[in-house]
């Protein structure tokens, strides 16, 4: 089973957008982490910007970030976050999206306890592949 979630980027306005959409949908903020919360400095990440936030309302989940200046904010402000159940499926999808595309972040185990990677496919769609099964 795959679960697809919109992931929106706001280039320094995520805090404002998160509150706007929370009110709009009468939702609940599930997660809000700043770049300063990461265990090490993330290149291109402003410490005062939101690294990751999640909003839930009416069964809908929206993920948001201010993004990393150097990588996320060139051209569009949306990515698709795909949660997969196993690393085998994650590897297959990542390799498929890489064909004619570009790797933004290789698949790796992360400090938040998941295996994660980002890739832009040949059509310019950014995919964020998330798997709880660590390698």
């Amino acid at each position: 089973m795959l679960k697809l979630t919109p992931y929106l980027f706001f280039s320094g306005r995520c805090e404002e957008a998160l509150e706007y959409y929370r009110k709009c949908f009468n939702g609940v903020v599930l997660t809000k982490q700043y770049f300063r919360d990461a265990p090490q400095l993330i290149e291109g990440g402003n410490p005062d910007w939101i690294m990751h936030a999640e909003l839930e309302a009416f069964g809908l989940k929206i993920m948001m970030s201010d993004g990393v200046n150097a990588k996320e904010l060139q051209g569009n402000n949306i990515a698709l976050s795909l949660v997969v159940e196993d690393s085998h499926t994650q590897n297959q999808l990542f390799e498929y999206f890489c064909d004619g595309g570009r790797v933004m972040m290789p698949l790796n185990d992360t400090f938040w306890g998941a295996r994660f990677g980002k890739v832009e496919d040949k059509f310019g769609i950014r995919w964020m592949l998330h798997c709880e099964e660590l390698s």
Side-chain angles (χ1 to χ4, degrees):
M1 182 170 132
L2 302 176
K3 185 176 177 184
L4 186 64
T5 304
Y7 207 118
L8 309 175
F9 295 88
F10 294 97
S11 187
R13 297 185 67 195
C14 188
E15 190 93 49
E16 176 187 356
L18 182 61
E19 181 59 17
Y20 173 81
Y21 291 117
R22 185 194 66 74
K23 285 181 180 176
C24 180
F25 293 116
N26 193 27
V28 175
V29 175
L30 302 175
T31 304
K32 182 165 64 169
Q33 298 171 309
Y34 294 87
F35 280 97
R36 65 177 169 258
D37 298 331
Q40 73 244 3
L41 179 66
I42 296 176
E43 184 181 342
N46 181 323
D48 296 325
W49 282 11
I50 292 177
M51 179 175 64
H52 176 74
E54 294 180 24
L55 173 70
E56 188 173 66
F58 305 109
L60 170 71
K61 185 183 277 188
I62 300 172
M63 296 180 180
M64 302 177 193
S65 175
D66 279 311
V68 177
N69 283 329
K71 297 180 182 176
E72 264 96 27
L73 304 174
Q74 299 171 0
N76 68 49
N77 67 340
I78 189 168
L80 300 176
S81 178
L82 192 59
V83 176
V84 299
E85 293 182 337
D86 62 86
S87 57
H88 176 73
T89 302
Q90 186 185 38
N91 285 334
Q92 285 183 316
L93 289 168
F94 196 83
E95 290 304 314
Y96 189 77
F97 292 142
C98 285
D99 185 19
R102 72 179 177 99
V103 173
M104 297 176 73
M105 175 187 269
L107 288 173
N108 274 310
D109 295 344
T110 64
F111 68 88
W112 62 85
R115 189 163 180 261
F116 179 80
K118 291 187 283 189
V119 62
E120 183 177 76
D121 70 20
K122 66 183 178 180
F123 300 104
I125 303 300
R126 290 180 292 137
W127 295 91
M128 304 169 75
L129 300 173
H130 179 95
C131 181
E132 302 267 325
E133 178 184 290
L134 298 176
S135 57

